[in-house]
Amino acid sequence: MSDVTLTTLQSLKQSGEKIAMLTCYDATFAHAASQAGVEVLLVGDSLGMVLLGHDSTLPVTVTDMAYHVAAVKRGNQGALILVDLPFMAYATTEQCLHNCALLMQAGAHMVKLEGAGWLAEPIRLLAERGIPTCAHLGLTPQAVNILGGYKVQGRQEAQARQMRADAIALEQAGAAMLLLECVPSSLAAEISQAVKIPVIGIGAGAATDGQVLVLHDMLGLALSGRSPKFVKNFMTGQDSIAAALSAYVQAVKSVSFPAAEHCFSA
Ligand code: KIV
């Protein structure tokens, strides 16, 4: 495929074709996933859990992220590389700009920040300086200690109203993409309609503009042996990892994934 850019993702949203995103942490999987047609490789701070065995994403550092971005860049065949800014790497403006520079120089094309309305300021600063951003709303794992666990977000009307308002404010601030994690399908559908930028979901229903899963989860490699409700094991019925990756892309494009059993109600 020709190189995926922000323009590609915007065109996919406009045409109604779903975007396939997958987490990726090394050159071999970057090669396999981009060859399978995954448009966005997310170097997620989930690597702290699935690669390093931590019980949350909080111990992950910018050095860890830069190391894995550089590996993904070496294997990538034209996908857009999105990287997580890890916990507290964007707590101040100076830290945010400095750490984004390191990650973009390592090979990322876009950075992802977890939060809510307060992200408007860093997103605006980054857009002005030529760094596209993805704002991660809903269940934000870096805030697990405030949220009291990995729980569905936006079920109460006040929370839902706030999330809709935040999504619009962050688009206006210059966000290039939104990611919604573990929110009711109806709320994710409303937000996807309300903004012009692509909205990617994980546990957010089928009406978002694209889907993302953690690579190890969709290959049936969850460390705990238990997967969240929104995960489908794409190795089932396949005889190779390449076939499982292609099945994921096909399922996202044909909107056969996520099915009702992978979604949350309001
Ligand atoms: O770090 C990550 O893998 C993520 C996904 C759960 C979306 O942010």
Side-chain angles (χ1 to χ4, degrees):
M1 74 181 159
S2 57
D3 286 1
V4 176
T5 64
L6 251 187
T7 313
T8 320
L9 301 180
Q10 283 152 359
S11 306
L12 288 172
K13 170 154 183 148
Q14 275 156 20
S15 70
E17 181 177 336
K18 301 288 180 181
I19 298 164
M21 183 191 293
L22 207 50
T23 70
C24 188
Y25 318 103
D26 67 26
T28 303
F29 274 103
H31 192 273
S34 53
Q35 287 279 89
V38 173
E39 281 117 355
V40 183
L41 301 176
L42 167 60
V43 185
D45 58 358
S46 51
L47 69 85
M49 298 171 86
V50 298
L51 297 190
L52 306 177
H54 294 300
D55 60 3
S56 77
T57 58
L58 274 60
V60 177
T61 65
V62 174
T63 308
D64 294 331
M65 299 307 294
Y67 175 86
H68 288 281
V69 167
V72 166
K73 178 184 163 67
R74 289 192 282 270
N76 181 29
Q77 301 289 299
L80 185 138
I81 301 175
L82 171 63
V83 64
D84 266 327
L85 277 170
F87 180 62
M88 293 304 275
Y90 45 113
T92 67
T93 300
E94 288 70 25
Q95 284 174 324
C96 179
L97 295 177
H98 174 74
N99 290 326
C100 283
L102 293 177
L103 296 173
M104 297 297 283
Q105 286 169 342
H109 300 116
M110 190 189 302
V111 299
K112 177 159 81 61
L113 304 86
E114 296 183 10
W118 69 271
L119 292 178
E121 184 60 10
I123 283 173
R124 195 175 47 73
L125 286 173
L126 291 168
E128 282 168 2
R129 286 157 179 79
I131 300 182
T133 55
C134 172
H136 182 153
L137 303 177
L139 170 56
T140 48
Q142 291 172 16
V144 62
N145 293 301
I146 290 268
L147 298 176
Y150 297 97
K151 299 173 184 168
V152 179
Q153 303 294 309
R155 276 194 160 138
Q156 288 140 8
E157 184 40 41
Q159 254 192 349
R161 202 177 318 117
Q162 187 62 55
M163 209 184 296
R164 279 191 291 265
D166 289 343
I168 291 166
L170 296 176
E171 176 181 42
Q172 284 168 355
M177 190 152 71
L178 293 180
L179 190 147
L180 299 178
E181 178 165 356
C182 288
V183 304
S185 305
S186 52
L187 175 59
E190 280 176 43
I191 292 175
S192 305
Q193 285 283 323
V195 297
K196 291 199 173 59
I197 53 177
V199 178
I200 308 297
I202 176 166
T208 53
D209 305 306
Q211 299 292 327
V212 60
L213 281 178
V214 170
L215 175 68
H216 292 56
D217 289 347
M218 58 79 75
L219 293 178
L221 293 172
L223 262 183
S224 66
R226 289 178 53 239
S227 287
K229 173 184 166 80
F230 54 79
V231 171
K232 177 172 173 181
N233 180 351
F234 282 90
M235 276 306 285
T236 306
Q238 305 297 341
D239 59 6
S240 70
I241 286 174
L245 295 171
S246 293
Y248 170 69
V249 174
Q250 284 316 309
V252 170
K253 297 282 176 191
S254 64
V255 204
S256 59
F257 174 77
E261 78 239 40
H262 306 117
C263 301
F264 299 106
S265 58

